[in-house]
Amino acid sequence: MEKKTYNLTPEQEEQLVESEFRDLLAGYMASNHRKKVDIIERAFAFAKSAHKGVRRRSGEPYILHPIAVAKIASMEIGLGSTSICAALLHDVVEDTEFTVSDIEQHFGKKVAEIVEGLTKISGGIFGDKASAQAENFRKLLLTMSKDIRVILLKMADRLHNMRTLGSMAPNKQYKIAGETLYIYAPLAHRLGLFAIKTELEDLSFKYEHPTEYDRISRLLKVSEEGRAMGYNNFATPIRERLDAMGLKYEAKARLKSVYSIWRKMETKHIPFEEVYDLYAMRIIFDCPDGVGEKEMCYRIYAALTDLYRPHPERIRDWIAVPKANGYQALHVTLMGPDGNWIEVQIRSRRMDEIAEKGFAAHWKYKIGGEGEEESELTVWLRTIKDILDDPNPNAIDFLDTLKLNLFSSEIVVFTPKGELLTLAAGATVLDVAYTLHSEIGSHCIAGKVNHKLVPLSQKLNSGDQVEVLTSQSQTPKPEWMTFLSTAKAKTRLRKELRREQQPYIDEGKKIFDKFLEENNITLNNDVMTKILGTYHVTSREELFLRLGNGEASIDDYLNVNTSKNARSLVSRLFRLGFGGSGKKKEAPKLPPVMPSPGKINTKETYILRFNDEGRNFTLSDCCGPIPGDDVMGFINDDGIVEIHSLTCPRAQALKASYGSRLLAVKWESVTEKFLAKVRIEGIDRHGILQELTRLISTALDIDIRSLNIQAREEVFTCNLSVKVYSTSDVDALCSKVMKIKGVKRADRVR
């Protein structure tokens, strides 16, 4: 957390700043970079003077932030003097009167270009209603193709901001933590910055779910002694075998992160006690003279499997085929003496450095020349070019597509000529077609996987050989979007569909513009939002397409012959939701929502209130939050506070895109019931359904709204909807249900 400097004297502050800078220099001097201390000292003096008198929210002198970013860039990512200078100067152009030209004059063109790249990332919008944050990511990625150090320094900047997030207002914490988890952590993973990715995830989780973070941290501390004993029992025979081989190595346990543990508990619906893979073992060796890294990895693998039984389906060879982010290692999962499976990661010292500090740091600037590493990264940069070049981006679509491209799980397939393609897990024949070329994708009719004919929607597995079959008579179809898993393919298909649909879109826009003009309707964002809602479409383009191809029409009675009063009425009717066939669309039935009393202060915690008039919020349909959940507020287009669970995928996108409309919220005393869903599993027996319903409705006095029970081969599954006041009611229900004979699991589902 941030150092509190409120009570320091000017002399003490000066000593603190000087101490932090000397720490930065000491780390740099210990690295294997050429020692250019003079330019770093000049950059520090320049930045210190430029930021003189400026403080962070915590009260610290502002200069401590660029020093911290420079330390991360140097010691945790492994960058050299150019990056350290740029880190020290990264806020000078944005926050002071100095220009990029001033930076170039004092520190050279390369430092100035990196500072300019970092400055450009701030601000900017896609269009009249899109997200500034999405545009920031777009600019961020565009800078990568010019100089990868821009993105690496941005990651260092984000990491320090996350480490010092405690001094920010709650709504800012949600925004920054949300966009970090949604974009920056996957991006760090894709760049090979594993240690930074893990810390970003844990810090985001800490601020979004503080209670769960503290609980899991306490459980890890309590179980530490037993875990250490189990690890030593497993590791001791391995160390003895490696010592006998005469190997110089380091063996250590890698504890699963708090966020990873929580994710596993959530996705598998299991308690902490059932997360057995809390740690993995990592073996890092120095390669002996005359022995290749790959050969040494396999020798260690052979030694391990002589001691313990390997899991046949959990061997991962990332040496022969490295991950797209440059990661190399041999993973094997072994059965330990206590009966639990333990993963062992085997790496050379070089592989470990790339895995921990990041593949990008070993690109051009550290190893020099056009090596294999550069070609790997260049290939990845090309995969995002299609997204960046999309001329009609929608903020949320852009972020979703980008996140899809940062997807961590990968498969490797081969073309008929033996060329290797790395794709997102779940990729299909059609993904391969569009990866090869837009034209091949648009004319794809089927494929051959391992010489067997398959449809274009066929999902692929690692190692498949894929041949794409095409026909000139084939054209792209909108339903193909559901067959695709890769960002490149989705972006290319979207472009092809837009090109074919453009004449209809143009015609629909003419119809729409003529209607507005003839009826004297002034268009603004609020009116447009309601019009799109009336037609159940998500964008103007989709509306224009439906009008242009005849799928929708503007009512015949709304024409130029209407009187002035009628035109006014028409305008009001349109705003209220008339359109399409001429019949009023049924608005969704929302719970009574009290109008907000004036402008909402996003800097204060918003109290979620219930009274006789209704509530001062509405619940989102996507995640169904109830009192007791960790939630956030989002001010929608109608000025109403919309409540989302912090784990909701839609909330993740909102946090990354619309930070200025987020609210920290707090439940007031609850006076009404909410719908919750519970899943119960167990061994089927006669009368168990009757026991369940009697317990829930009678003993617990909980209203059952729906119940569906299915039994298959002596195992039953019951999906239940109940009305409850809060999560504590659901917890009590699950706890009681678990005491019924035969019930093995009872969890709330969302």
Side-chain angles (χ1 to χ4, degrees):
M1 298 300 289
E2 238 168 293
K3 297 179 181 70
K4 303 300 179 185
T5 60
Y6 309 102
N7 299 322
L8 295 187
T9 65
E11 292 76 19
Q12 288 172 323
E13 280 191 353
E14 184 66 29
Q15 289 173 5
L16 174 63
V17 169
E18 191 63 28
S19 171
E20 290 294 315
F21 177 64
R22 290 298 154 197
D23 194 34
L24 164 65
L25 275 185
Y28 170 67
M29 294 300 289
S31 73
N32 59 358
H33 288 280
R34 287 175 292 173
K35 304 303 180 281
K36 298 181 179 179
V37 175
D38 176 62
I39 192 171
I40 294 174
E41 289 182 329
R42 286 195 291 111
F44 167 63
F46 191 97
K48 185 180 175 185
S49 174
H51 293 302
K52 187 175 182 180
V54 182
R55 296 184 177 276
R56 304 192 82 201
R57 276 186 72 99
S58 63
E60 283 187 341
Y62 192 86
I63 187 63
L64 287 174
H65 169 64
I67 293 173
V69 173
K71 285 170 73 172
I72 293 169
S74 172
M75 301 179 201
E76 299 183 48
I77 302 179
L79 298 174
S81 60
T82 302
S83 299
I84 292 171
C85 289
L88 288 168
L89 299 163
H90 79 274
D91 280 332
V92 166
V93 174
E94 185 176 355
D95 295 343
T96 75
E97 72 276 8
F98 291 104
T99 65
V100 174
S101 298
D102 294 327
I103 302 294
E104 184 172 351
Q105 182 183 344
H106 287 85
F107 303 100
K109 187 175 181 180
K110 186 52 69 178
V111 171
E113 283 179 352
I114 297 173
V115 171
E116 183 181 24
L118 287 162
T119 304
K120 280 181 176 177
I121 292 165
S122 301
I125 55 171
F126 274 133
D128 59 348
K129 60 169 189 167
S131 153
Q133 193 56 48
E135 176 65 5
N136 280 347
F137 291 127
R138 187 184 178 92
K139 287 179 180 175
L140 184 64
L141 294 165
L142 281 168
T143 61
M144 290 174 67
S145 56
K146 189 172 183 180
D147 195 322
I148 195 69
R149 287 174 290 191
V150 174
I151 185 76
L152 296 175
L153 291 180
K154 185 60 182 175
M155 298 300 285
D157 179 53
R158 174 52 55 121
L159 179 57
H160 185 246
N161 284 335
M162 287 300 297
R163 286 174 176 173
T164 57
L165 197 56
S167 61
M168 303 296 287
N171 67 313
K172 290 280 189 182
Q173 290 178 352
Y174 286 150
K175 171 190 178 294
I176 294 170
E179 68 191 28
T180 297
L181 199 56
Y182 193 73
I183 295 293
Y184 282 98
L187 187 54
H189 185 91
R190 205 64 167 83
L191 290 167
L193 302 166
F194 181 78
I196 288 178
K197 170 249 186 190
T198 302
E199 187 174 353
L200 288 176
E201 286 178 340
D202 268 7
L203 287 169
S204 297
F205 178 55
K206 178 179 180 179
Y207 284 102
E208 290 197 333
H209 302 276
T211 305
E212 277 298 287
Y213 180 89
D214 290 341
R215 186 175 77 87
I216 294 172
S217 298
R218 281 197 307 271
L219 289 169
L220 282 172
K221 194 167 183 64
V222 167
S223 62
E224 186 175 3
E225 187 177 337
R227 195 168 58 248
M229 189 182 299
Y231 173 76
N232 285 331
N233 290 340
F234 174 75
T236 299
I238 292 176
R239 287 199 186 96
E240 291 171 354
R241 182 63 61 94
L242 296 179
D243 290 341
M245 292 168 66
L247 199 60
K248 187 179 178 183
Y249 69 93
E250 180 184 352
K252 55 187 178 183
R254 181 186 65 82
L255 184 64
K256 204 178 189 74
S257 71
V258 175
Y259 175 74
S260 295
I261 293 169
W262 177 76
R263 284 286 298 164
K264 183 154 194 174
M265 290 164 61
E266 287 287 297
T267 53
K268 301 280 188 183
H269 301 293
I270 57 175
F272 175 85
E273 292 72 25
E274 291 182 26
V275 181
Y276 296 114
D277 58 338
L278 286 175
Y279 66 87
M281 184 181 189
R282 184 171 294 159
I283 298 170
I284 304 157
F285 64 88
D286 293 325
C287 215
D289 292 338
V291 182
E293 287 179 320
K294 186 174 180 180
E295 181 185 344
M296 199 66 242
C297 283
Y298 292 132
R299 284 188 190 178
I300 294 171
Y301 167 79
L304 298 182
T305 52
D306 282 345
L307 292 168
Y308 298 113
R309 182 161 59 90
H311 194 301
E313 295 178 3
R314 289 169 67 180
I315 297 170
R316 300 287 181 267
D317 187 349
W318 300 115
I319 300 173
V321 184
K323 287 188 177 183
N325 61 12
Y327 179 82
Q328 287 183 289
L330 184 63
H331 292 192
V332 58
T333 300
L334 304 171
M335 174 67 77
D338 58 358
N340 289 322
W341 292 105
I342 299 169
E343 184 182 74
V344 181
Q345 302 166 355
I346 306 168
R347 304 174 179 173
S348 69
R349 187 71 60 183
R350 180 192 66 84
M351 293 174 189
D352 185 63
E353 191 176 355
I354 290 176
E356 291 304 301
K357 286 193 171 178
F359 168 72
H362 290 256
W363 191 47
K364 189 181 294 183
Y365 314 105
K366 196 164 184 181
I367 61 171
E370 299 285 324
E372 181 183 343
E373 283 90 349
E374 180 175 358
S375 66
E376 283 277 1
L377 189 58
T378 304
V379 167
W380 178 66
L381 289 172
R382 280 202 299 266
T383 68
I384 62 170
K385 193 172 187 305
D386 287 321
I387 310 169
L388 302 175
D389 289 342
D390 189 349
N392 293 295
N394 167 280
I396 296 292
D397 285 348
F398 170 74
L399 290 173
D400 283 344
T401 307
L402 172 60
K403 186 159 171 57
L404 180 66
N405 202 64
L406 300 173
F407 201 78
S408 56
S409 299
E410 299 164 342
I411 61 168
V412 176
V413 300
F414 300 90
T415 67
K417 293 182 179 179
E419 295 171 2
L420 184 148
L421 297 175
T422 302
L423 303 167
T428 62
V429 169
L430 190 59
D431 279 298
V432 171
Y434 271 112
T435 298
L436 295 172
H437 198 280
S438 291
E439 283 295 305
I440 296 174
S442 296
H443 296 299
C444 177
I445 54 170
K448 283 187 176 179
V449 175
N450 305 325
H451 309 291
K452 181 181 177 182
L453 188 67
V454 297
L456 50 77
S457 59
Q458 177 73 31
K459 288 191 176 182
L460 305 172
N461 297 309
S462 264
D464 283 345
Q465 187 183 59
V466 186
E467 180 182 353
V468 177
L469 306 179
T470 60
S471 168
Q472 286 304 308
S473 62
Q474 177 72 295
T475 56
K477 313 261 186 318
E479 57 267 25
W480 285 7
M481 199 63 74
T482 60
F483 302 159
L484 298 174
S485 292
T486 63
K488 172 180 276 191
K490 288 197 171 190
T491 305
R492 288 185 167 179
L493 173 58
R494 204 175 283 122
K495 284 184 181 177
E496 288 297 308
L497 290 174
R498 189 182 296 123
R499 185 172 59 80
E500 291 200 351
Q501 294 167 349
Q502 198 58 50
Y504 297 108
I505 292 171
D506 293 342
E507 179 61 27
K509 188 174 187 309
K510 288 179 186 175
I511 294 170
F512 185 75
D513 289 345
K514 183 180 178 183
F515 167 76
L516 295 179
E517 182 183 350
E518 290 176 344
N519 291 282
N520 195 28
I521 298 174
T522 301
L523 193 65
N524 57 41
N525 280 342
D526 288 340
V527 173
M528 194 68 213
T529 299
K530 288 180 172 60
I531 293 173
L532 296 179
T534 299
Y535 284 91
H536 302 290
V537 294
T538 58
S539 68
R540 298 181 188 219
E541 274 198 351
E542 194 177 347
L543 172 64
F544 298 156
L545 176 63
R546 291 188 62 192
L547 293 174
N549 66 13
E551 286 184 26
S553 65
I554 292 179
D555 303 282
D556 294 335
Y557 65 85
L558 304 179
N559 56 54
V560 75
N561 296 319
T562 54
S563 67
K564 185 176 180 181
N565 288 338
R567 283 201 300 272
S568 175
L569 176 62
V570 166
S571 177
R572 281 188 283 118
L573 288 173
F574 212 109
R575 288 166 186 263
L576 289 170
F578 282 86
S581 65
K583 296 178 182 177
K584 191 178 187 306
K585 303 286 184 183
E586 286 294 326
K589 288 182 171 59
L590 298 172
V593 179
M594 295 182 289
S596 301
K599 186 175 175 61
I600 297 169
N601 186 349
T602 57
K603 294 181 180 179
E604 294 180 356
T605 299
Y606 186 82
I607 306 300
L608 304 177
R609 292 195 168 92
F610 310 78
N611 61 29
D612 295 338
E613 297 175 28
R615 349 169 156 159
N616 63 347
F617 64 92
T618 183
L619 294 174
S620 63
D621 294 330
C622 45
C623 53
I626 63 175
D629 282 333
D630 287 338
V631 292
M632 69 166 206
F634 173 70
I635 304 171
N636 66 22
D637 292 336
D638 294 320
I640 294 171
V641 176
E642 192 178 285
I643 302 303
H644 290 263
S645 165
L646 285 176
T647 55
C648 165
R650 172 72 179 168
Q652 295 290 339
L654 291 173
K655 283 181 284 187
S657 307
Y658 299 103
S660 62
R661 293 160 69 176
L662 300 184
L663 284 170
V665 297
K666 184 178 179 182
W667 299 100
E668 199 180 44
S669 55
V670 183
T671 57
E672 62 177 273
K673 290 186 177 181
F674 295 79
L675 196 65
K677 296 178 181 177
V678 175
R679 182 182 175 88
I680 302 167
E681 298 174 358
I683 308 302
D684 193 24
R685 62 177 173 79
H686 181 70
I688 196 166
L689 175 59
Q690 186 179 359
E691 279 188 51
L692 277 171
T693 54
R694 186 168 60 241
L695 170 71
I696 295 166
S697 60
T698 305
L700 296 175
D701 194 26
I702 292 176
D703 295 331
I704 298 175
R705 302 311 297 265
S706 70
L707 185 148
N708 180 277
I709 191 165
Q710 292 180 325
R712 184 180 178 187
E713 296 178 0
E714 308 306 318
V715 174
F716 81 89
T717 302
C718 175
N719 290 304
L720 192 67
S721 291
V722 291
K723 295 285 277 186
V724 295
Y725 285 110
S726 68
T727 53
S728 58
D729 290 347
V730 181
D731 293 341
L733 185 154
C734 292
S735 177
K736 293 280 187 183
V737 164
M738 283 292 291
K739 294 177 180 177
I740 293 177
K741 181 183 176 183
V743 173
K744 300 299 181 185
R745 176 167 292 169
D747 300 292
R748 180 180 166 209
V749 294
R750 302 176 196 184

